[in-house]
Amino acid sequence: MGAGSVRARYLVYFQYLGTDFNGVAAVRGVQRAIGVQNYLEEAAERLNSVVPVKFTISSRTDSGVHALSNAAHLDIQRRSDRPPFSPEVLTEALNTHLKHPAIRVLQAFRVPSHFHARHAATSRTYLYRLATGCPRPDRLPVFERNRCWALQADCLDVAAMQEAAQHLLGTHDFSAFQSAGSPAASPVRTLRRASVSLDPTSPFVLPEESRRLQFWSLEFESQSFLYKQVRRMTAVLVAVGLGALMPAQVKAILDSRDPLGKHQSRVAPAHGLFLKSVLYEGL
């Protein structure tokens, strides 16, 4: 810490449309691949911190994945003659200096100096959006493109999908739903919730289209997930909904612990996935 400087740690919630980004994590030294974190840290440079501000991201998301609410912690050291920013002022300042319209800071909190945005999270919830009745992706309303996975099928067997999802609940070795490159030390995770539901009609769909287009939501909650676990679980549940797999086969896939099994080759597209929330004890 610089002489006479005062350090304050903040937890910041932020959201983004992931279409234009190479994931949330900062990309260093590459001009054409930019992460959401690059823009956040660029905005933070304007805060005149004594030392550069670095965002420690709670939940990494891949290229094309969106976030309704992600989180990060950051330290700001101001000179001794300057008091720490209030959370409200910090939120406004970051939004003022953000240079990409697809990112917005939602809220900030002062937290203890030992707080860690990734390790302290008690719950993460992901939302995956599907559309049925769409013969081609370019038949989606323009406002829904890159925000859901368009399926050519007219409907899904939701009851079968819900039955299959029950096999995933609880504490398991999720190796079969883990993609190569995962940094996790252990493949064991506890899935607290997995739901499948029909959404109300999208407000972006014209009445004449709403008779054929339907939208569906899958939600998954856990303290943490393996690399691409949600997209792999989604792909398998969609296969059940389309009749390509039976619900009991999902348990067999889980028990196999084999990420290279014949039913695990497909991963749901990134653009249908949203990080919905990151929760912390006491916040």
Side-chain angles (χ1 to χ4, degrees):
M1 184 182 295
S5 63
V6 177
R7 184 180 74 172
R9 179 162 290 191
Y10 299 86
L11 171 67
V12 171
Y13 288 98
F14 57 99
Q15 64 181 195
Y16 48 90
L17 281 172
T19 307
D20 294 340
F21 305 111
N22 192 55
V24 68
V27 179
R28 311 295 184 187
V30 180
Q31 294 301 314
R32 294 188 178 183
I34 297 298
V36 175
Q37 185 180 355
N38 291 97
Y39 285 94
L40 291 169
E41 292 180 351
E42 183 181 81
E45 289 177 6
R46 305 292 296 275
L47 302 178
N48 297 318
S49 177
V50 173
V51 297
V53 177
K54 299 297 181 186
F55 281 66
T56 299
I57 306 294
S58 163
S59 305
R60 294 190 63 160
T61 57
D62 293 333
S63 177
V65 176
H66 318 292
L68 296 172
S69 182
N70 203 338
H73 78 253
L74 60 148
D75 294 328
I76 301 175
Q77 294 180 203
R78 306 192 78 194
R79 297 192 306 270
S80 58
D81 60 336
R82 298 291 183 92
F85 291 113
S86 70
E88 294 77 17
V89 168
L90 175 61
T91 300
E92 184 175 354
L94 288 172
N95 280 325
T96 297
H97 298 304
L98 271 168
K99 293 185 177 180
H100 201 295
I103 309 170
R104 183 169 73 103
V105 175
L106 301 169
Q107 197 171 10
F109 296 89
R110 279 289 301 272
V111 291
S113 60
H114 58 79
F115 179 90
H116 196 285
R118 181 161 59 88
H119 301 320
T122 57
S123 171
R124 293 172 173 88
T125 298
Y126 281 89
L127 163 70
Y128 199 98
R129 299 185 67 238
L130 305 167
T132 54
C134 187
R136 298 193 311 269
D138 62 4
R139 297 287 296 275
L140 273 176
V142 294
F143 303 104
E144 287 287 1
R145 293 180 189 174
N146 293 319
R147 291 165 179 80
C148 63
W149 179 10
L151 303 171
Q152 294 183 358
D154 291 329
C155 63
L156 293 168
D157 187 341
V158 175
M161 294 173 72
Q162 291 171 335
E163 180 184 343
Q166 295 302 304
H167 295 302
L168 301 174
L169 292 177
T171 302
H172 306 283
D173 181 328
F174 280 96
S175 292
F177 295 95
Q178 175 177 249
S179 287
S182 176
S186 168
V188 176
R189 293 292 186 272
T190 301
L191 188 64
R192 299 171 183 165
R193 183 166 60 90
S195 65
V196 184
S197 60
L198 175 64
D199 282 347
T201 301
S202 168
F204 306 120
V205 176
L206 295 172
E208 57 268 28
E209 294 182 303
S210 63
R211 288 187 293 273
R212 62 177 178 84
L213 279 176
Q214 287 188 308
F215 293 87
W216 312 80
S217 289
L218 283 68
E219 286 198 16
F220 304 92
E221 181 189 356
S222 177
Q223 183 174 1
S224 62
F225 291 90
L226 300 170
Y227 181 47
K228 294 188 180 178
Q229 179 186 343
V230 173
R231 289 166 61 191
R232 280 176 166 263
M233 292 190 299
T234 296
V236 166
L237 291 180
V238 166
V240 172
L242 296 175
L245 288 174
M246 299 297 292
Q249 289 178 274
V250 174
K251 184 178 188 305
I253 292 171
L254 178 67
D255 292 343
S256 75
R257 303 181 183 179
D258 179 9
L260 301 178
K262 64 178 181 179
H263 299 300
Q264 288 89 280
S265 60
R266 191 168 190 187
V267 180
H271 57 253
L273 183 60
F274 295 74
L275 174 59
K276 184 177 181 179
S277 66
V278 183
L279 302 181
Y280 298 90
E281 192 73 34
L283 288 175

